[in-house]
Amino acid sequence: MDDVKTRTEGRAGIVTLARPQALNALSHPMSLAIEAAFDAWRDDPAIALVIMEAEGEKAFCAGGDIASIYHQAKAGALQPARDFWRDEYRLNVKIAEYPKPIVSFMQGFIMGGGVGLGCHGSHRIVGESSRVAMPECGIGLIPDVGGSLILARAPGRVGEYVGLTGERLNAADAIFAGFANLYVPGEDWPALKRGLIETGDATRAEEAARPVEGATLPGLMPMLDRVFSAETLSEILERLEGEGGETAEKALAAIRRSSPISLAATLEILRRARGFSSVREAVALEYRFTWRSHELGDFVEGIRAQLIDKDRTPHWKHPAADAAPAPYIAMMLSSLGENDIQ
């Protein structure tokens, strides 16, 4: 299909996201096409590794194609989005468990669905332009596509901070937080890709990696641990108010703009995910929320405010960031019965 190109060259299977005009937003057909390629290459002895790349300078993938979900939901069609998320999460798990090296070249924005594509493989490369974020709470969703597990495994309380605020991470911070593991200057990417294609040797990526400077998260760790270790959202907000300083004020503003349902669910999911051993467990829990999100959560209103009307003034179901009742969050994360991901 035109929006994603899959091909084999030399020793590599190559997936190229080809929607640069839409920041390579991931659609349901794109997800299925990528999965089909991964399935075809899994047992092909001619393919030693997979390269994930994207056209355009602005984004590797800025997220899922959520505008279509809005229009479907407004028309009363809830199942298409649920089918998309189920299939997308299955792809995320296959990437995480793939038996061959996957080398992701992630330029520009890597958000939401882009994290699910690029940040679970073995060799996750970022460069100067890379900006990683999980801003889902701002649109009434939760950090999904297995991103909750990455956040839960981040050092200290970095996961809560990044997940609740949607903070954009530069290359150094993305590596520190666990979204990427290699920094390669952008000018070196073409030669590295040629070497990977020719040899099928993924250690070429490790050899091309360079030290990266500019990480801000390590210096924030004492404050983040102090604030985001609080048990509840109310306590986190209270600690942020008492903390002062630019980072705390920015975090406070970001949280107050976001969906109360999404914030509370994200906090609960991250706390549970610290006990998970695999992406499978993470996406199973995430799916319970996303399955309900456009009917019982704030997702449709979040898309409206951000992408459709673009007034940036969402009318959430609850009036304050910490106002979502605990029983409601428990319901959003409860079993879906036969609809649970198995």
Side-chain angles (χ1 to χ4, degrees), residues 7-14 46-51 53 105 189-202 204:
R7 71 185 197 278
T8 61
E9 185 178 347
R11 300 298 315 283
I14 304 171
I47 303 301
L49 54 80
V50 175
I51 292 173
E53 62 178 13
F105 290 84
W189 289 14
L192 174 56
K193 288 178 185 179
R194 288 194 297 271
L196 293 170
I197 290 168
E198 181 182 338
T199 67
D201 181 4
R204 291 286 187 99

Side-chain angles (χ1 to χ4, degrees), residues 138 257 301-316:
R257 285 194 302 269
E301 174 60 15
I303 301 172
R304 181 207 64 76
Q306 192 75 15
L307 290 181
I308 307 302
D309 297 338
K310 300 182 179 179
D311 57 25
R312 306 292 193 270
T313 310
H315 302 289
W316 305 126

Side-chain angles (χ1 to χ4, degrees), residues 40 42 55 59 119 154 176 292:
R42 174 186 291 270
E55 294 180 359
C119 298
F176 181 79
R292 297 180 170 103

Side-chain angles (χ1 to χ4, degrees), residues 202-223:
T203 62
R204 291 286 187 99
E206 298 157 30
E207 293 165 359
R210 300 288 178 265
V212 58
E213 299 178 351
T216 60
L217 289 175
L220 296 175
M221 286 288 288
M223 186 274 280

Side-chain angles (χ1 to χ4, degrees), residues 21 43 86 91 165-166 176 184 188 204 276 295 326:
Q21 74 286 354
D43 298 319
R86 181 184 290 274
L91 172 60
T165 66
F176 181 79
V184 178
D188 296 340
R204 291 286 187 99
F276 292 168
E295 181 180 23

